[in-house]
Amino acid sequence: MSLITVTSPHTTGQRNHTGAFMRQVIYATIPGVAVLTWLFGWGTLFNLIIAVPAALIAEAAVLKARGRDVRFALSDWSAVLTAVLLAIAIPPTSPWWLIVIGIVAAIVVAKQLYGGLGMNPFNPAMVGYVVLLISFPLEMTRWIAPHEAPSWFDSFRMVLASANVDAITGATPLDSLRTWAGNAEQLASQPILHGSFAGAGWEWVNLAFLLGGIYLLARKIISWHIPVGMLAGMALIALPFWLADDVRYASPLFHLFSGAAMFGAFFIATDPVSAATSRYGRLIYGALIGVLVWVIRSNGGYPDAVAFAVLLMNMAAPTIDYYTQPRSYGHRKAKRGASR
Amino acid sequence: MTETILILISAVLVNNFVLVQFLGLCPFMGVSNKVETAMGMSLATTFVLTLSSVLAYLTWSWILVPLELEYLRTISFILVIAVAVQFTEMFVRKASPLLYRVLGVFLPLITSNCAVLGVALLNVRKEDASFMSSLTYGFGAALGFSLVLVLFAAMRERIAVADVPVAFRGPSIGLITAGLMSLAFMGFSGLIKL
């Protein structure tokens, strides 16, 4: 009798292939992208069209230089996913070179220098985003006022960086909150802060990404620990401050449906490579991201903070893993890092 | 009380000595290969930094300012720090040989840690420097140093087994990681206006 030994994972078929998982995440962004396009025009789609080939070229160039199998690495769709996430995160008014610089920072520096998929300690898309935010603060905070969507031709001209975009730009809910926090009169008169149930326009963006996130949860692509931890952490720290002083601090509901909250909770923070790995560790990881987002939004120098909070917790993820090693079956509590 | 907390948050996060002011990079790169040694180093640095910050302030306000010898501050602070480190080493050796062995070579190394001298010099430059503010500033700087050193050590353990391109292995990927950490710490800028 001959026995064939096969190493794990013992799965068959294409459904559990890395590429299949990545594609599911990309499909889940569709509702969010649709709402972004409806509110802000074609800019997001143009960003996507530039970002995806740029990411593939950057990845292929590094792999070629290292003498690795280019076709195999590109077939896992991870570069495409990074490009999609970065294209969604940056404003739809951005010129074409902005996203190209971001993609190079994300794919080359944050991902390939660490050895490619599965090795990167930082979330590549968020490294790209933060590099852009710090280098080009003007372009990166220029959002269109909701429902003022320019025609596809105007969007195209913005991509080529020749159009004057100032006429249609407006403050996002988080921008006006930062400007007017503590001033009850101004807060009441800003229409952008009073949408159907949160900041105008942005509540629908967040709702759409929540929908995509629920799809990912239902397909078991992500576990619930990180998004629930992050949203709960954010709401629980916002609640007491809002109850104490609702002129200075925004409500938990406003925070949950503003900026990149839902997008960050379901699509960014859940990156399995750069997040904590144990269940308990993931809850801590998510909750601390939520707390950091609230702290930087309410007191910091930047209107939104999901990218910074995710990078800061990426930094802490190995340490969280170190202290939350689960007990292996048949052994007592994990020794390493328990006490020393 | 509020001021103490503000100084602490400022020293730990907003003006972190390693990632924002780029002081103390040598031990940051040198002893971050293992989490255990990083923790030992953090402990020793925390003690020495707090002690020397206070001692430097006392030297400043009791000796240098009355004698109008302010221009001698760099050299006198180096002397104070070296004495503090030597004193700590002798005391630890007597009181707890076990801790002395755990800390090993890191104790004398702290003398050359530029964050320690940096804290002492930055402290007396402030207009309203006091005994309490020197103590909290030194302690906060040490906490911030310890925090990023331990986080960085845990990250480097992971990077050590990653498939990094040959040209980037070792300290170079370590420096790139430190740069990305510094990028993340820019998110804290503007948190506190001091």
Side-chain angles (χ1 to χ4, degrees):
Chain A
M1 197 174 91
S2 69
L3 287 170
I4 304 162
T5 46
V6 184
T7 55
S8 63
H10 302 286
T11 54
T12 53
Q14 287 295 303
R15 270 193 56 214
N16 296 317
H17 193 259
T18 311
F21 274 83
M22 298 284 175
R23 278 201 302 277
Q24 290 292 328
V25 181
I26 294 171
Y27 299 152
T29 62
I30 289 174
V33 173
V35 173
L36 280 174
T37 311
W38 169 55
L39 285 172
F40 304 116
W42 294 78
T44 310
L45 294 179
F46 286 132
N47 279 343
L48 278 170
I49 292 170
I50 300 165
V52 172
L56 290 174
I57 292 169
E59 178 126 312
V62 178
L63 290 166
K64 189 96 182 154
R66 290 190 70 189
R68 297 293 163 95
D69 187 353
V70 176
R71 184 180 280 268
F72 174 76
L74 289 191
S75 70
D76 65 21
W77 288 75
S78 61
V80 178
L81 179 59
T82 301
V84 168
L85 296 180
L86 185 59
I88 290 170
I90 74 171
T93 58
S94 63
W96 62 273
W97 46 264
L98 195 74
I99 187 136
V100 173
I101 294 172
I103 288 288
V104 170
I107 298 286
V108 177
V109 178
K111 188 177 165 199
Q112 289 297 335
L113 281 193
Y114 287 95
L117 182 64
M119 313 277 191
N120 48 303
F122 292 101
N123 185 320
M126 287 303 103
V127 169
Y129 182 85
V130 169
V131 165
L132 290 178
L133 184 60
I134 287 167
S135 314
F136 308 102
L138 185 69
E139 283 84 355
M140 287 298 287
T141 48
R142 202 168 54 187
W143 281 87
I144 297 168
H147 301 294
E148 298 276 318
S151 68
W152 72 268
F153 184 66
D154 282 345
S155 293
F156 188 66
R157 290 202 315 177
M158 281 180 217
V159 171
L160 293 176
S162 61
N164 181 12
V165 291
D166 292 343
I168 46 166
T169 53
T172 66
L174 286 172
D175 287 335
S176 21
L177 180 71
R178 227 179 84 70
T179 314
W180 302 115
N183 187 336
E185 209 175 298
Q186 285 286 355
L187 281 180
S189 67
Q190 299 289 325
I192 188 89
L193 291 174
H194 305 282
S196 305
F197 56 92
W202 285 87
E203 78 251 65
W204 305 118
V205 176
N206 278 282
L207 208 59
F209 281 117
L210 175 63
L211 207 68
I214 290 169
Y215 170 76
L216 288 180
L217 281 177
R219 294 297 301 262
K220 294 200 169 71
I221 306 283
I222 57 175
S223 71
W224 58 269
H225 304 83
I226 294 175
V228 168
M230 173 172 163
L231 298 175
M234 199 151 92
L236 285 182
I237 192 161
L239 187 65
F241 282 90
W242 174 61
L243 289 177
D245 184 357
D246 66 348
V247 178
R248 173 77 182 76
Y249 297 101
S251 70
L253 191 68
F254 181 86
H255 275 295
L256 288 181
F257 287 91
S258 287
M262 291 294 171
F263 178 61
F266 288 98
F267 291 88
I268 299 294
T270 52
D271 169 24
V273 180
S274 54
T277 43
S278 66
R279 283 182 207 164
Y280 186 47
R282 281 180 173 178
L283 274 175
I284 299 174
Y285 172 86
L288 286 178
I289 290 180
V291 170
L292 278 175
V293 169
W294 180 84
V295 167
I296 299 178
R297 271 184 185 177
S298 306
N299 305 303
Y302 293 96
D304 203 359
V306 172
F308 284 116
V310 167
L311 287 189
L312 286 167
M313 289 316 292
N314 284 167
M315 251 165 71
T319 312
I320 294 176
D321 280 349
Y322 185 93
Y323 283 104
T324 58
Q325 276 181 11
R327 185 180 66 91
S328 58
Y329 184 73
H331 291 81
R332 282 158 190 256
K333 198 169 157 35
K335 260 276 165 56
R336 194 175 181 238
S339 66
R340 185 166 167 138
Chain B
M1 190 61 207
T2 328
E3 202 204 332
T4 310
I5 293 172
L6 283 182
I7 292 177
L8 268 182
I9 295 175
S10 162
V12 174
L13 300 177
V14 184
N15 295 314
N16 186 288
F17 269 77
V18 181
L19 293 179
V20 181
Q21 311 202 37
F22 306 116
L23 288 169
L25 283 176
C26 344
F28 184 64
M29 295 304 297
V31 279
S32 53
N33 289 320
K34 273 184 71 81
V35 175
E36 280 84 3
T37 48
M39 282 178 182
M41 184 66 181
S42 309
L43 224 65
T45 312
T46 305
F47 184 73
V48 172
L49 203 50
T50 316
L51 187 69
S52 68
S53 173
V54 171
L55 286 180
Y57 172 74
L58 294 180
T59 315
W60 172 260
S61 58
W62 286 354
I63 300 173
L64 296 181
V65 173
L67 297 177
E68 296 184 352
L69 289 172
E70 286 96 339
Y71 58 89
L72 284 180
R73 60 180 176 273
T74 308
I75 195 145
S76 46
F77 287 173
I78 290 174
L79 193 68
V80 165
I81 290 164
V83 168
V85 171
Q86 278 305 312
F87 168 75
T88 314
E89 192 181 350
M90 278 155 58
F91 179 77
V92 171
R93 196 183 206 161
K94 274 280 182 202
S96 164
L98 183 70
L99 185 66
Y100 181 74
R101 225 168 338 140
V102 170
L103 295 179
V105 72
F106 303 131
L107 258 181
L109 261 183
I110 298 168
T111 322
S112 60
N113 184 344
C114 45
V116 181
L117 183 62
V119 168
L121 287 174
L122 287 173
N123 234 339
V124 297
R125 219 176 53 180
K126 281 189 286 192
E127 292 284 308
D128 56 343
S130 69
F131 182 84
M132 247 345 255
S133 79
S134 314
L135 185 76
T136 38
Y137 195 57
F139 184 64
L143 268 187
F145 177 82
S146 309
L147 175 75
V148 296
L149 183 66
V150 171
L151 294 183
F152 187 54
M155 287 187 83
R156 281 191 87 176
E157 282 191 2
R158 210 171 265 197
I159 294 165
V161 296
D163 177 28
V164 177
V166 183
F168 288 95
R169 285 202 186 135
S172 51
I173 196 74
L175 279 170
I176 291 170
T177 311
L180 292 177
M181 288 170 81
S182 182
L183 205 66
F185 258 70
M186 289 195 74
F188 288 124
S189 69
L191 211 58
I192 287 172
K193 284 106 197 161
L194 264 186

